[in-house]
Amino acid sequence: MKTFETRGPVDAARNYVVKRTTELVGFVDRVKQGRYIVIFAPRQTGKTTFFRWALEALVDAEITYFPIQLNLEEYKNFSPSDFYRRLHKDIHKEIKSVFEKRGETFSDRLSQFLENTKITNHVSMREFFEDLANLLISNSGSQTTPATQRVVIIIDEFDGIPQTVVSDFLHSLRRIYLSGVDSRCPFSLGIVGVKSITQLNYDRSISPFNIQDEFALPNFTLEQVQELLAQYTEAVGQVFAPEVIKALHRQTAGQPFLVTRFAQILT
């Protein structure tokens, strides 16, 4: 039996969920345009779940999107060298995971590149992505994978980036973005966090990330709360009076955690 989940990302197979269809369409459209997107919102608003769904939705008949999901939550106190070493390891792991899900294998060139190339700073990170784009193209072209592959990276918990690297890191992303949509890697980027980039502690005499496209993930609408509770009604037969649903939405302002917690209490 499905449940209302409040402890982390939700799974539609196990939990009652608000699908956020309209928001997903808007976000995926920006990704397909090659935007570098930022979304900052309080915790427990469904950001991580939303971006996981967005990556899953990136299916196109002509273009293969190569999704890489990173999380910087544990990185805050790392030295620059440890940060980039860990970043490289996580990227390698994610690339391997994508190939495994597709039932494909690395080419020898790509395998050697991932094993032997190191990311030690923001410049080598940019160069790593430049080389990765070319190697993914040479590794593709099979019946299941079109020759064009566009890397899409979601960086969750961006607030965890060490202060000693944030400015240079953003500068390199900006340079990648300005390199042109045809050769860009990552093609599109999503930065997710609680603090906005302007709240991070870096040198504001320069503007390292003025190419960002801000994306808002709003609280649930009344219709979305109705959708959520209707799933429970369909499953077990318990009906919620319309005035109860309206009161729940009004008192929680549609905040996802509060809505879901109230739903737990009511059921």
Side-chain angles (χ1 to χ4, degrees):
M1 180 177 174
K2 291 185 177 182
T3 60
F4 292 102
E5 180 59 71
T6 58
R7 294 167 295 181
V10 298
D11 181 350
R14 298 182 296 107
N15 309 125
Y16 301 111
V17 301
V18 173
K19 296 180 180 179
R20 290 190 180 272
T21 304
T22 301
E23 293 93 333
L24 278 171
V25 170
F27 179 80
V28 170
D29 183 61
R30 296 190 196 195
V31 169
K32 291 185 176 183
Q33 294 176 43
R35 304 284 184 84
Y36 277 26
I37 308 157
V38 296
I39 176 170
F40 295 95
R43 296 195 183 281
Q44 296 183 310
T45 54
K47 300 187 300 296
T48 299
T49 297
F50 178 81
F51 277 103
R52 190 184 71 230
W53 288 349
L55 290 180
E56 293 172 354
L58 284 173
V59 178
D60 191 287
E62 298 179 0
I63 299 173
T64 292
Y65 291 93
F66 197 96
I68 295 176
Q69 188 163 9
L70 304 173
N71 188 311
L72 305 188
E73 184 174 10
E74 299 177 327
Y75 289 21
K76 185 174 183 179
N77 296 315
F78 280 10
S79 66
S81 59
D82 285 342
F83 168 77
Y84 284 108
R85 177 181 55 80
R86 184 70 229 187
L87 182 69
H88 175 264
K89 187 173 182 179
D90 286 351
I91 292 172
H92 187 171
K93 180 180 178 181
E94 283 292 303
I95 292 173
K96 181 179 179 181
S97 175
V98 172
F99 273 88
E100 289 176 348
K101 289 177 181 177
R102 293 177 174 176
E104 299 177 356
T105 57
F106 294 162
S107 66
D108 290 339
R109 287 183 62 203
L110 179 57
S111 180
Q112 292 172 8
F113 169 76
L114 293 173
E115 290 294 338
N116 299 328
T117 304
K118 306 300 180 184
I119 298 178
T120 57
N121 55 39
H122 61 292
V123 175
S124 61
M125 177 188 72
R126 174 176 55 78
E127 294 171 341
F128 172 89
F129 283 122
E130 290 172 353
D131 293 337
L132 176 64
N134 294 326
L135 288 168
L136 285 176
I137 291 174
S138 65
N139 199 94
S140 59
S142 67
Q143 291 183 344
T144 57
T145 304
T148 300
Q149 298 211 61
R150 291 182 164 177
V151 174
V152 178
I153 297 181
I154 300 295
I155 306 177
D156 202 359
E157 299 290 347
F158 190 77
D159 317 75
I161 189 170
Q163 298 298 331
T164 51
V165 305
V166 61
S167 181
D168 287 340
F169 185 86
L170 292 173
H171 269 294
S172 286
L173 291 180
R174 182 177 186 274
R175 178 166 173 178
I176 292 171
Y177 181 84
L178 296 176
S179 66
V181 69
D182 292 333
S183 59
R184 182 188 303 155
C185 182
F187 172 76
S188 182
L189 176 77
I191 288 179
V192 191
V194 176
K195 295 180 180 179
S196 70
I197 286 179
T198 57
Q199 291 176 302
L200 298 175
N201 183 22
Y202 64 85
D203 181 5
R204 288 176 178 78
S205 64
I206 49 179
S207 182
F209 209 64
N210 58 3
I211 44 80
Q212 67 187 35
D213 183 358
E214 294 190 10
F215 183 86
L217 189 61
N219 286 342
F220 293 160
T221 64
L222 174 60
E223 291 73 19
Q224 287 174 323
V225 175
Q226 291 169 335
E227 170 196 338
L228 181 68
L229 296 179
Q231 295 171 41
Y232 182 81
T233 297
E234 182 178 356
V236 304
Q238 177 181 336
V239 178
F240 297 89
E243 58 270 22
V244 171
I245 299 176
K246 290 179 181 178
L248 189 157
H249 179 259
R250 182 176 64 254
Q251 293 177 18
T252 62
Q255 204 281 339
F257 172 80
L258 294 178
V259 169
T260 308
R261 182 65 185 121
F262 267 91
Q264 286 180 332
I265 295 171
L266 291 172
T267 57

